[in-house]
């Protein structure tokens, strides 16, 4: 009998995540990867705590369903398991205990989307209130980052304060949960990798926001393998991309340059089902350093 591998970190290889809410779709996902996957590595288990609560499944059930399907199909290749949209240490404990090795930290509830429209004097007041929690801020003021695309990111005082007020608490939360994952996985003696997901905001992520968020996570030794940004355009599960494709591609090129310069790490696209008109763009512009999360149709 063939031995199915346990989930393993995939590093910066291109990857595709298959959400499977009912635990029945893995044979189809496997067929898709075998027929059309090419260099793309599969994440056959991808489920958030919220999805599992809704469907009455536990992390161990989700893992067992996938393992059984892979065993029946005699699959011996590499694959991974994504604990999606983690918010608390308890979420981490439950999924790590079930063998997940790809941890997606979602600190979006700590992002303040109103910061974008605050006047400089209000911003200053709010910034001074949280100053001790954003001790990285001063170092960015006045800095200019040159990207290989020829673009630059300018960090003036207002930009930095806005990012501190908007993302400061979310960065702290990501770093805290990342340290918890490291402790838990250290005890288990297993390899793992981390995605940061900040796509749950109304405004598209700016290059300056991306830069500071990712750099602060990396400086805290978070094992960052991918970052899910809020990209330009509209993303709904099961519906193709809506919006200006040229604007999407331009802004993606800037984000991909940041990811290569700081990491390299992958850019991740959530609600990735049926985004048929942008898959090629996403793969090309990221130079193959991408992760797509789908669920429902694949
Ligand atoms: Zn997501």
């Amino acid at each position: 009998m063939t031995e199915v591998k346990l989930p393993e970190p995939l590093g910066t290889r291109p990857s595709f995540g298959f959400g499977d809410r009912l635990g029945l779709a893995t044979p189809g996902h496997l067929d898709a990867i075998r027929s059309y996957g090419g260099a793309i590595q599969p994440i056959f288990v991808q489920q958030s705590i919220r999805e599992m609560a809704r469907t009455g499944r536990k992390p161990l059930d989700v893992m067992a369903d996938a393992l059984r399907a892979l065993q029946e199909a005699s699959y011996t290749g590499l694959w991974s398991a994504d604990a999606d949209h983690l918010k608390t240490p308890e979420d981490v404990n439950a999924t790590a205990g079930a063998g997940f090795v790809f941890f997606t930290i979602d600190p979006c509830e700590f992002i303040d989307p109103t910061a974008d429209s605050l006047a400089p004097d209000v911003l200053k007041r709010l910034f001074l209130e949280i100053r001790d929690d954003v001790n990285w801020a001063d170092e960015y003021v006045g800095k200019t980052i040159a990207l290989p695309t020829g673009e630059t990111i300018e960090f003036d005082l207002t930009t930095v304060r806005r990012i501190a007020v908007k993302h400061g608490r979310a960065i702290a939360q990501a770093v805290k949960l990342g340290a918890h994952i490291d402790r838990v996985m250290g005890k288990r003696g297993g390899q793992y990798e981390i995605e940061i997901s900040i796509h749950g905001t109304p405004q598209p992520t700016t290059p300056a926001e991306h830069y500071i968020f990712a750099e602060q996570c990396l400086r805290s030794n978070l094992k960052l393998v991918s970052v899910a940004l809020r990209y330009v355009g509209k993303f709904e599960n099961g519906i193709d991309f809506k919006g200006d494709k040229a604007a999407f591609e331009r802004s993606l090129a800037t984000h991909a340059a940041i990811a290569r310069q700081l990491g390299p790490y992958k850019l991740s696209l959530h609600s990735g089902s049926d985004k048929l008109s942008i898959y090629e763009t996403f793969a090309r512009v990221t130079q193959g350093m991408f992760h797509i999360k789908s669920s429902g149709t694949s």
Side-chain angles (χ1 to χ4, degrees):
M1 195 152 133
T2 50
E3 197 61 40
V4 178
K5 286 194 173 78
L6 291 174
E8 289 171 61
L10 303 174
T12 52
R13 280 175 275 220
S15 49
F16 204 99
F18 299 96
D20 176 8
R21 294 201 172 109
L22 301 175
L24 301 168
T26 302
H29 296 153
L30 186 51
D31 265 359
I33 274 290
R34 278 178 168 161
S35 307
Y36 305 105
I40 296 174
Q41 303 298 319
I43 297 196
F44 287 124
V45 167
Q46 171 203 288
Q47 217 81 146
S48 68
I49 295 289
R50 196 179 67 154
E51 285 169 319
M52 288 188 262
R54 273 187 192 161
T55 51
R57 299 167 83 209
K58 297 233 162 0
L60 275 170
D61 303 329
V62 172
M63 190 62 76
D65 285 343
L67 275 168
R68 193 179 320 111
L70 296 177
Q71 184 73 56
E72 277 166 15
S74 305
Y75 180 78
T76 55
L78 196 61
W79 66 287
S80 190
D82 174 5
D84 203 7
H85 289 288
L86 297 167
K87 292 173 192 278
T88 67
E90 292 71 36
D91 296 349
V92 172
N93 301 346
T95 48
F100 288 68
V101 293
F102 182 106
F103 296 94
T104 300
I105 296 176
D106 177 358
C108 283
E109 64 197 278
F110 296 93
I111 296 175
D112 181 357
T114 66
D116 281 8
S117 50
L118 296 176
D121 58 321
V122 183
L123 217 46
K124 182 180 177 183
R125 184 170 52 76
L126 293 177
F127 173 75
L128 292 175
E129 278 173 20
I130 56 157
R131 184 160 211 167
D132 291 344
D133 303 322
V134 289
N135 53 17
W136 44 262
D138 287 345
E139 149 200 3
Y140 287 97
V141 177
K143 217 168 160 179
T144 299
I145 302 290
L147 296 176
T149 52
E151 296 162 291
T152 55
I153 307 175
E154 312 278 346
F155 292 101
D156 61 43
L157 182 65
T158 305
T159 301
V160 173
R161 281 183 177 165
R162 212 178 283 289
I163 294 172
V165 170
K166 186 174 182 179
H167 293 287
R169 292 173 61 232
I171 291 171
Q173 165 70 6
V175 166
K176 205 168 86 186
L177 213 50
H180 181 75
I181 292 169
D182 193 64
R183 275 195 299 277
V184 171
M185 292 306 283
K187 271 189 218 144
R188 290 179 63 85
Q191 298 293 311
Y192 71 93
E193 54 197 7
I194 288 180
E195 171 167 310
I196 296 291
S197 166
I198 52 169
H199 75 86
T201 61
Q203 310 95 350
T205 313
T206 66
E209 290 172 347
H210 173 184
Y211 195 93
I212 289 184
F213 212 116
E215 185 167 63
Q216 288 308 310
C217 287
L218 288 164
R219 284 213 191 142
S220 307
N221 295 320
L222 208 123
K223 290 195 180 156
L224 194 66
V225 77
S226 63
V227 174
L229 304 169
R230 168 73 171 81
Y231 303 106
V232 170
K234 237 181 147 190
F235 298 85
E236 291 168 47
N237 245 326
I239 299 173
D240 204 347
F241 172 82
K242 282 192 218 156
D244 181 341
K245 272 183 212 144
F248 166 74
E249 180 165 346
R250 272 197 308 278
S251 109
L252 186 66
T254 309
H255 286 305
I258 294 171
R260 280 194 294 277
Q261 183 155 318
L262 282 179
Y265 49 82
K266 298 188 269 196
L267 289 183
S268 174
L269 178 66
H270 290 209
S271 299
S273 297
D274 298 83
K275 298 296 173 292
L276 297 168
S277 68
I278 54 163
Y279 288 143
E280 187 276 332
T281 307
F282 206 74
R284 173 171 44 80
V285 173
T286 58
Q287 299 180 9
M289 301 247 283
F290 65 87
H291 178 52
I292 310 267
K293 296 202 190 194
S294 69
S295 93
T297 49
S298 312

